[in-house]
Amino acid sequence: MQGVNESRFIKNTREQALANPELAAVKNSETKKLNLYQAVNEALATALATDEKAVIFGEDVSFGGVFRCTMGLAEKFGKHRVFNTPLTEQGIAGFGIGVAAVGHTAIAEIQFADYVFPAFDQLVNEAAKYRYRSGNEFNVGGLTVRMPCMAVGHGAHYHSQSPEAYFAHTPGLKVVIPRSPIQTKGLLLAAIRDKNPVVFMEPKILYRAAVEQVPVDDYTLPLGKAEVIKEGKDLTVVGWGSQLYVLERAIAMAEKRMPGVSIELIDLRSILPWDIETVTKSVNKTGRLLIAHEAPQTGGFASEIATTVQEHCFLRLEAPIQRVCGWDTPFPLVFEKFYVPSAIRCFDAMERALKF
Amino acid sequence: MGSHGHFRARGRGRLGAVSSVYTEKLEFLTNYPAIPTYRVLDVEGAVIDESQDPKLDKATLARMYECMITLNTMDTILYDAQRQGRISFYMTSYGEEASHMGAAAALTNDDVIYGQYREAGVLMYRGFTLEEFMNQCYSNERDYGKGRQMPVHYGTAKFNFQTISSPLGTQLPHAAGSAYALKLEGKKACAVCFFGEGAASEGDFHAALNIAATTESPVIFICRNNGYAISTPAKEQYRGDGIASRGHGYGMDTIRVDGNDALAMYNAVKEARRIAVEESRPVLIEAMTYRVGHHSTSDDSSAYRSKQEVADWQKNHSPITRFRKYLEARGLWNEEQEQALRKDVRKRVLKAFSAAEKLKKPPVEDLFNDVYDEMPPHLAEQKAELVRLMKKYPEHYDASDYAASKSM
Ligand SMILES: Cc1ncc(C[n+]2csc(CCOP(=O)(O)OP(=O)(O)O)c2C)c(N)n1
Ligand SMILES: [Mg+2]
């Protein structure tokens, strides 16, 4: 993916990786060069090693999964803990709920986020409401459902979607999307150990493209917390997953073409619950906001952020909140470059906000 | 009648299972007998029971064989094209050619087809041309799907072949609904739905077979049991006697067929069609075959099955070789014809291929068309925004590979 290798958010050395205050607990850890799918694998191996009640399952996971995320785990931890399921997403989600309902840790893989919809009923009506409807007699906090999401350049309708907003509309679920290998390991372990069902979406284009020095020790990163990954004073930009690298390039263009301007970039990380405080604090500083995501604009998560920020920062806003999103069409194969919120589109909207 | 019904309800298994009788023996059913596999040809292409030879005319047999070779050749060339980066994706039908042609030959073009993705041969038999296949795989301006879906997602109203959709199993209930509509229209036609043994694990499989049975819809469900769903072998997919054994549970006429035997497929589908259309009942066919190729160009099957296993199947169970031997034994085919056909097919495939490659992509305006029958205002606004961006930043929106848009 363009811009990932050169990204300033990618930690290429141990020192860079461990400079992150969120990693203070492992500041003496060794680090290891891993790409994002290997970081998933590390997190899963750590989960299996530290929680004897954890199991991993899904379509094709026992040979390593179609993206190699579960490679070697069945051999290392046993076929009873890492196993193939029949080809049924509703079954996978429902089975995971059952595993979690009796106190075990269920880590389910849905092969593509585009194929999560047969599991929608189980996740939205069952997993999300399990605790509430039972008066907290039962919960399925042990459930984590992983799935690859977002564009890859040739995925068309059904290997490209970003369905985070559907799940964000569901009280009781948590929704998390990481941007890099270090983030992935920490957020995935946090998701697995969190006491609520978590939908964990992995930007598949980064599986191989994003490589970092990842701490070897066991660590988690906080759910529900955004991260300011670049500070600035004139405009707040919010994104998640692989879109952050697009936004980084757009910001570079804007700061170059508008000397003196500085732009703040926030990785939302958790879509639900989301970090209103970090975002509104930033907008109260900059007075301007842009949100970008690949999912279609109408009803996308940008709408929720824009509304909340408008409520919290109305008097501080100096320009209309900008949304740069996928158009309101299915995700189209040959038109992908015209469809996505590309760097130039994001730049254009940044300029519009800054020159308003 | 009334008292008889009353007696039955008391004497037998009540409303939910009206033909069940009471028993005082505590006995769980287990060890069900395995459903046999119907065949006409042995592996050497010899007819085992002459009464089962459908005695198809020469032209039909030739078309079936030519289509098998054409599909096989097209698969080889398009698979390689993907490896060379000329198309973005491909899926071959290696090893399953006979089931496509046997089924296709037994149907009429009024029968509505729902495919999964590995049934290109059915569409080819109906007359979809090499050019049409290539245009779809190249996502060029002549692709009926307007370049929006991945390669192999064919579809055309002309041949009653509903457009392929990647989510597995979703087409099964559609087929039941279409079949019901055909019945309402009084059409002498059925719906035919292909799917893999993996897809049969989806909830939609159950939904479809049950609703088809209760609505008495004229639909033929054809499961291609090729042993694998990507890396997952059939033994991790289900524990019953294949997919066919489920037919009983739905009260559905069911048969298991040697899917590598084109004539067995033909006979089974022909009779299934009669049952569906004449007697208005759904039918389940399980075609036993083998996925000789990798799942797709994104897969390397050596990670989960031995090369020897594949080689054995290719050597001993090639459906094409078997059918060819049948033709040869009847004096309908010889080596000379074989050479000529293969040469001609290769030439035609390559020609269609380079023609498709030269065509432009569909016009960019097609990004916004067909979301609805008419474009709603919010989409028109988004389209205008893209037009503005493309004008302002032409270096970022190179559309020279795309056909000219009329409206933007
Ligand atoms: C709902 C859904 N889940 C997962 C996938 C990913 N996927 C594509 S093909 C495939 C295997 C299908 O196997 P089978 O139905 O046996 O058909 P075959 O490929 O063997 O012809 C899987 C898991 C999908 N396309 N749709
Ligand atoms: Mg299969």
Side-chain angles (χ1 to χ4, degrees):
Chain A
M1 182 189 180
Q2 202 185 345
V4 180
N5 270 333
E6 312 78 61
S7 171
R8 293 188 33 228
F9 313 138
I10 289 287
K11 315 292 186 216
N12 290 308
T13 65
R14 177 169 179 270
E15 289 63 39
Q16 285 171 1
L18 297 173
N20 181 353
E22 289 184 338
L23 296 179
V26 288
K27 65 175 189 299
N28 296 321
S29 174
E30 287 307 307
T31 61
K32 187 158 74 173
K33 193 173 166 185
L34 297 178
N35 63 26
L36 200 147
Y37 87 70
Q38 292 164 331
V40 170
N41 189 271
E42 279 262 322
L44 295 176
T46 305
L48 289 169
T50 55
D51 175 359
E52 60 183 24
K53 287 187 162 183
V55 290
I56 296 178
F57 51 90
E59 293 157 17
D60 301 295
V61 304
S62 55
F63 94 117
V66 296
F67 288 106
R68 317 316 287 137
C69 292
T70 50
M71 210 157 44
L73 298 179
E75 290 79 354
K76 187 156 175 215
F77 295 96
K79 287 182 186 310
H80 60 299
R81 298 188 69 197
V82 181
F83 50 91
N84 283 346
T85 62
L87 211 171
T88 166
E89 292 74 16
Q90 69 185 104
I92 292 166
F95 185 91
I97 288 170
V99 167
V102 293
H104 287 242
T105 304
I107 308 168
E109 175 174 309
I110 298 293
Q111 206 161 76
F112 285 88
D114 312 67
Y115 302 138
V116 73
F117 298 107
F120 206 57
D121 189 33
Q122 287 290 352
L123 294 174
V124 171
N125 274 336
E126 299 300 316
K129 299 169 178 59
Y130 221 89
R131 186 190 297 278
Y132 194 80
R133 74 182 184 198
S134 69
N136 205 19
E137 282 292 304
F138 298 103
N139 73 80
V140 292
L143 175 67
T144 302
V145 185
R146 300 175 37 245
M147 61 195 79
C149 67
M150 303 181 93
V152 268
H154 50 260
H157 297 6
Y158 302 114
H159 299 83
S160 306
Q161 295 179 67
S162 302
E164 66 270 8
Y166 290 111
F167 294 106
H169 201 58
T170 309
L173 293 181
K174 293 193 177 184
V175 181
V176 178
I177 308 182
R179 69 168 185 275
S180 75
I182 294 174
Q183 292 289 312
T184 297
K185 180 173 170 185
L187 290 170
L188 180 52
L189 275 167
I192 291 167
R193 292 166 181 170
D194 190 83
K195 301 274 179 281
N196 301 281
V198 182
V199 172
F200 194 85
M201 298 184 180
E202 299 159 5
K204 64 178 102 56
I205 197 168
L206 300 179
Y207 276 140
R208 285 163 198 275
V211 180
E212 285 188 317
Q213 285 292 334
V214 179
V216 171
D217 291 358
D218 187 341
Y219 66 94
T220 59
L221 289 167
L223 303 189
K225 287 267 339 143
E227 186 185 358
V228 177
I229 54 177
K230 175 186 176 305
E231 290 191 9
K233 57 180 181 24
D234 302 306
L235 166 68
T236 300
V237 172
V238 175
W240 47 89
S242 48
Q243 185 64 22
L244 291 163
Y245 303 99
V246 177
L247 289 167
E248 184 183 22
R249 285 194 289 128
I251 288 171
M253 282 159 90
E255 290 182 341
K256 192 164 154 212
R257 293 194 203 182
M258 289 177 276
V261 159
S262 82
I263 298 174
E264 183 143 305
L265 180 57
I266 297 176
D267 176 1
L268 199 61
R269 301 197 287 190
S270 280
I271 308 300
L272 187 68
W274 66 284
D275 186 351
I276 297 174
E277 193 188 334
T278 297
V279 175
T280 52
K281 201 172 134 205
S282 173
V283 178
N284 276 329
K285 177 175 71 175
T286 63
R288 295 177 174 87
L289 175 64
L290 180 150
I291 313 138
H293 58 61
E294 284 180 8
Q297 171 160 314
T298 300
F301 201 67
S303 327
E304 181 59 33
I305 298 171
T307 309
T308 307
V309 165
Q310 177 271 133
E311 287 164 358
H312 286 254
C313 313
F314 185 69
L315 292 174
R316 188 58 195 92
L317 285 173
E318 290 169 30
I321 297 171
Q322 306 289 316
R323 285 183 292 166
V324 191
C325 307
W327 308 121
D328 288 328
T329 73
F331 201 106
L333 180 70
V334 283
F335 305 122
E336 177 167 326
K337 72 174 178 189
F338 302 98
Y339 172 87
V340 292
S342 59
I344 194 66
R345 259 178 83 192
C346 292
F347 161 77
D348 187 81
M350 286 172 189
E351 198 179 48
R352 187 156 39 186
L354 287 161
K355 292 191 172 163
F356 184 76
Chain B
M1 268 313 275
S3 65
H4 180 66
H6 182 63
F7 168 74
R8 277 172 64 105
R10 277 199 304 136
R12 298 176 183 237
R14 308 266 155 79
L15 278 178
V18 285
S19 346
S20 177
V21 294
Y22 283 114
T23 173
E24 287 68 47
K25 212 156 100 192
L26 178 64
E27 188 179 38
F28 290 86
L29 296 180
T30 173
N31 290 329
Y32 300 91
I35 295 171
T37 305
Y38 170 73
R39 64 174 179 174
V40 173
L41 303 175
D42 67 13
V43 289
E44 292 304 323
V47 176
I48 301 163
D49 173 350
E50 274 302 325
S51 74
Q52 294 304 303
D53 185 345
K55 303 221 160 44
L56 293 170
D57 61 58
K58 219 170 126 178
T60 305
L61 291 169
R63 171 141 192 84
M64 287 168 76
Y65 188 68
E66 279 169 26
C67 281
M68 287 187 207
I69 298 293
T70 309
L71 174 61
N72 191 266
T73 308
M74 178 173 90
D75 277 353
T76 307
I77 289 171
L78 288 180
Y79 187 85
D80 290 346
Q82 195 283 336
R83 294 280 119 178
Q84 296 159 8
R86 296 160 88 166
I87 59 174
S88 60
F89 177 80
Y90 195 67
M91 300 176 101
T92 64
S93 298
Y94 296 142
E96 302 186 37
E97 295 89 351
S99 64
H100 297 190
M101 304 318 162
L107 300 170
T108 76
N109 278 8
D110 285 338
D111 298 328
V112 176
I113 307 269
Y114 284 90
Q116 177 162 308
Y117 48 64
R118 218 184 291 285
E119 300 89 4
V122 177
L123 186 55
M124 181 177 277
Y125 192 89
R126 288 198 162 193
F128 206 62
T129 63
L130 288 171
E131 288 72 21
E132 289 173 308
F133 281 110
M134 306 287 166
N135 291 338
Q136 200 285 331
C137 288
Y138 265 104
S139 317
N140 69 29
E141 57 182 315
R142 295 205 191 134
D143 166 23
Y144 300 136
K146 302 181 185 169
R148 294 170 184 150
Q149 285 212 82
M150 286 167 76
V152 315
H153 289 63
Y154 312 113
T156 174
K158 176 169 68 174
F159 292 126
N160 259 326
F161 193 100
Q162 299 280 328
T163 300
I164 303 295
S165 158
S166 319
L168 289 168
T170 49
Q171 80 280 17
L172 281 98
H174 305 169
S178 294
Y180 189 75
L182 290 171
K183 185 169 84 164
L184 287 183
E185 279 174 36
K187 262 212 166 135
K188 287 276 167 233
C190 62
V192 182
C193 183
F194 292 89
F195 56 98
E197 88 293 341
S201 294
E202 290 285 0
D204 277 341
F205 169 89
H206 163 70
L209 271 75
N210 200 33
I211 204 167
T214 58
T215 57
E216 296 171 0
S217 295
V219 48
I220 310 174
F221 295 105
I222 304 183
C223 177
R224 300 177 290 98
N225 190 336
N226 59 12
Y228 286 92
I230 308 187
S231 76
T232 305
K235 69 170 187 295
E236 292 179 27
Q237 198 63 246
Y238 52 76
R239 281 298 151 85
D241 178 26
I243 307 304
S245 63
R246 302 178 196 172
H248 183 186
Y250 295 107
M252 200 175 284
D253 293 29
T254 300
I255 191 169
R256 171 175 290 146
V257 180
D258 182 346
N260 292 341
D261 176 347
L263 297 181
M265 276 305 285
Y266 175 86
N267 285 348
V269 174
K270 187 97 183 157
E271 174 60 9
R273 187 180 188 281
R274 191 196 63 73
I275 296 168
V277 176
E278 306 297 329
E279 299 176 13
S280 209
R281 274 184 293 135
V283 182
L284 173 62
I285 297 177
E286 182 180 26
M288 308 311 291
T289 177
Y290 185 78
R291 196 196 78 209
V292 168
H294 302 301
H295 169 69
S296 72
T297 46
S298 310
D299 176 48
D300 173 6
S301 66
S302 66
Y304 52 82
R305 64 178 181 183
S306 73
K307 292 212 161 97
Q308 191 56 44
E309 176 186 310
V310 180
D312 287 349
W313 269 92
Q314 251 172 323
K315 184 158 168 284
N316 302 324
H317 296 279
S318 161
I320 299 182
T321 308
R322 195 187 300 189
F323 195 60
R324 179 181 162 184
K325 285 180 176 167
Y326 169 83
L327 295 180
E328 283 174 349
R330 268 149 197 75
L332 297 173
W333 201 251
N334 59 38
E335 182 58 26
E336 210 175 308
Q337 283 168 295
E338 178 79 13
Q339 291 307 328
L341 173 66
R342 285 194 182 263
K343 211 169 122 194
D344 173 59
V345 163
R346 205 182 145 73
K347 212 167 72 195
R348 287 195 292 117
V349 173
L350 287 171
K351 192 171 152 224
F353 176 84
S354 50
E357 197 167 29
K358 289 194 190 85
L359 289 170
K360 290 199 182 261
K361 306 271 171 241
V364 176
E365 63 188 351
D366 275 341
L367 165 54
F368 296 97
N369 295 328
D370 304 330
V371 181
Y372 300 96
D373 63 336
E374 286 173 10
M375 193 179 298
H378 74 283
L379 213 45
E381 201 179 295
Q382 293 181 9
K383 180 175 163 184
E385 172 68 356
L386 179 61
V387 170
R388 182 189 70 80
L389 289 161
M390 289 175 69
K391 289 219 172 85
K392 189 168 172 193
Y393 307 106
E395 71 281 15
H396 290 272
Y397 283 112
D398 180 8
S400 56
D401 283 350
Y402 296 76
S405 292
K406 289 189 200 74
S407 66
M408 48 190 291

PDB file of all heavy atoms in Angstrom, chain B residues 196-198 224-229, ligand 2:
ATOM      1  N   GLY B 196     -21.534 -25.539  -3.839  1.00  0.00           N
ATOM      2  CA  GLY B 196     -20.513 -26.476  -3.369  1.00  0.00           C
ATOM      3  C   GLY B 196     -20.936 -27.166  -2.087  1.00  0.00           C
ATOM      4  O   GLY B 196     -21.854 -26.720  -1.393  1.00  0.00           O
ATOM      5  N   GLU B 197     -20.230 -28.249  -1.759  1.00  0.00           N
ATOM      6  CA  GLU B 197     -20.553 -28.947  -0.512  1.00  0.00           C
ATOM      7  C   GLU B 197     -20.195 -28.077   0.687  1.00  0.00           C
ATOM      8  O   GLU B 197     -20.785 -28.228   1.762  1.00  0.00           O
ATOM      9  CB  GLU B 197     -19.857 -30.312  -0.457  1.00  0.00           C
ATOM     10  CG  GLU B 197     -18.437 -30.343   0.127  1.00  0.00           C
ATOM     11  CD  GLU B 197     -17.406 -29.623  -0.726  1.00  0.00           C
ATOM     12  OE1 GLU B 197     -17.663 -29.410  -1.925  1.00  0.00           O
ATOM     13  OE2 GLU B 197     -16.337 -29.246  -0.195  1.00  0.00           O
ATOM     14  N   GLY B 198     -19.259 -27.140   0.494  1.00  0.00           N
ATOM     15  CA  GLY B 198     -18.946 -26.204   1.570  1.00  0.00           C
ATOM     16  C   GLY B 198     -20.106 -25.244   1.796  1.00  0.00           C
ATOM     17  O   GLY B 198     -20.579 -25.058   2.921  1.00  0.00           O
ATOM     18  N   ARG B 224     -22.238 -29.589  -6.057  1.00  0.00           N
ATOM     19  CA  ARG B 224     -20.977 -30.102  -6.612  1.00  0.00           C
ATOM     20  C   ARG B 224     -20.111 -30.477  -5.420  1.00  0.00           C
ATOM     21  O   ARG B 224     -19.498 -29.611  -4.805  1.00  0.00           O
ATOM     22  CB  ARG B 224     -20.245 -29.028  -7.413  1.00  0.00           C
ATOM     23  CG  ARG B 224     -20.998 -28.454  -8.591  1.00  0.00           C
ATOM     24  CD  ARG B 224     -20.167 -27.355  -9.247  1.00  0.00           C
ATOM     25  NE  ARG B 224     -20.064 -26.168  -8.415  1.00  0.00           N
ATOM     26  CZ  ARG B 224     -19.063 -25.865  -7.633  1.00  0.00           C
ATOM     27  NH1 ARG B 224     -18.002 -26.655  -7.531  1.00  0.00           N
ATOM     28  NH2 ARG B 224     -19.074 -24.766  -6.908  1.00  0.00           N
ATOM     29  N   ASN B 225     -20.090 -31.733  -5.082  1.00  0.00           N
ATOM     30  CA  ASN B 225     -19.257 -32.144  -3.951  1.00  0.00           C
ATOM     31  C   ASN B 225     -17.871 -32.497  -4.481  1.00  0.00           C
ATOM     32  O   ASN B 225     -17.616 -33.613  -4.934  1.00  0.00           O
ATOM     33  CB  ASN B 225     -19.882 -33.324  -3.206  1.00  0.00           C
ATOM     34  CG  ASN B 225     -19.152 -33.580  -1.893  1.00  0.00           C
ATOM     35  OD1 ASN B 225     -17.980 -33.221  -1.750  1.00  0.00           O
ATOM     36  ND2 ASN B 225     -19.832 -34.193  -0.949  1.00  0.00           N
ATOM     37  N   ASN B 226     -16.974 -31.506  -4.412  1.00  0.00           N
ATOM     38  CA  ASN B 226     -15.633 -31.711  -4.972  1.00  0.00           C
ATOM     39  C   ASN B 226     -14.595 -31.948  -3.872  1.00  0.00           C
ATOM     40  O   ASN B 226     -13.400 -31.831  -4.095  1.00  0.00           O
ATOM     41  CB  ASN B 226     -15.236 -30.525  -5.858  1.00  0.00           C
ATOM     42  CG  ASN B 226     -15.241 -29.212  -5.092  1.00  0.00           C
ATOM     43  OD1 ASN B 226     -15.326 -29.191  -3.868  1.00  0.00           O
ATOM     44  ND2 ASN B 226     -15.132 -28.111  -5.818  1.00  0.00           N
ATOM     45  N   GLY B 227     -15.074 -32.251  -2.675  1.00  0.00           N
ATOM     46  CA  GLY B 227     -14.153 -32.697  -1.629  1.00  0.00           C
ATOM     47  C   GLY B 227     -13.515 -31.613  -0.803  1.00  0.00           C
ATOM     48  O   GLY B 227     -13.007 -31.882   0.287  1.00  0.00           O
ATOM     49  N   TYR B 228     -13.510 -30.400  -1.281  1.00  0.00           N
ATOM     50  CA  TYR B 228     -12.856 -29.316  -0.550  1.00  0.00           C
ATOM     51  C   TYR B 228     -13.663 -28.023  -0.592  1.00  0.00           C
ATOM     52  O   TYR B 228     -14.321 -27.730  -1.591  1.00  0.00           O
ATOM     53  CB  TYR B 228     -11.471 -28.999  -1.157  1.00  0.00           C
ATOM     54  CG  TYR B 228     -10.440 -30.044  -0.841  1.00  0.00           C
ATOM     55  CD1 TYR B 228     -10.224 -31.103  -1.720  1.00  0.00           C
ATOM     56  CD2 TYR B 228      -9.706 -30.000   0.340  1.00  0.00           C
ATOM     57  CE1 TYR B 228      -9.296 -32.093  -1.436  1.00  0.00           C
ATOM     58  CE2 TYR B 228      -8.770 -30.980   0.635  1.00  0.00           C
ATOM     59  CZ  TYR B 228      -8.567 -32.025  -0.249  1.00  0.00           C
ATOM     60  OH  TYR B 228      -7.645 -32.988   0.048  1.00  0.00           O
ATOM     61  N   ALA B 229     -13.557 -27.267   0.483  1.00  0.00           N
ATOM     62  CA  ALA B 229     -13.994 -25.871   0.489  1.00  0.00           C
ATOM     63  C   ALA B 229     -12.728 -25.093   0.872  1.00  0.00           C
ATOM     64  O   ALA B 229     -12.312 -25.123   2.028  1.00  0.00           O
ATOM     65  CB  ALA B 229     -15.092 -25.653   1.513  1.00  0.00           C
TER      66      ALA B 229
HETATM   67 MG    MG C   2     -16.192 -27.836  -2.605  1.00  0.00          MG
END
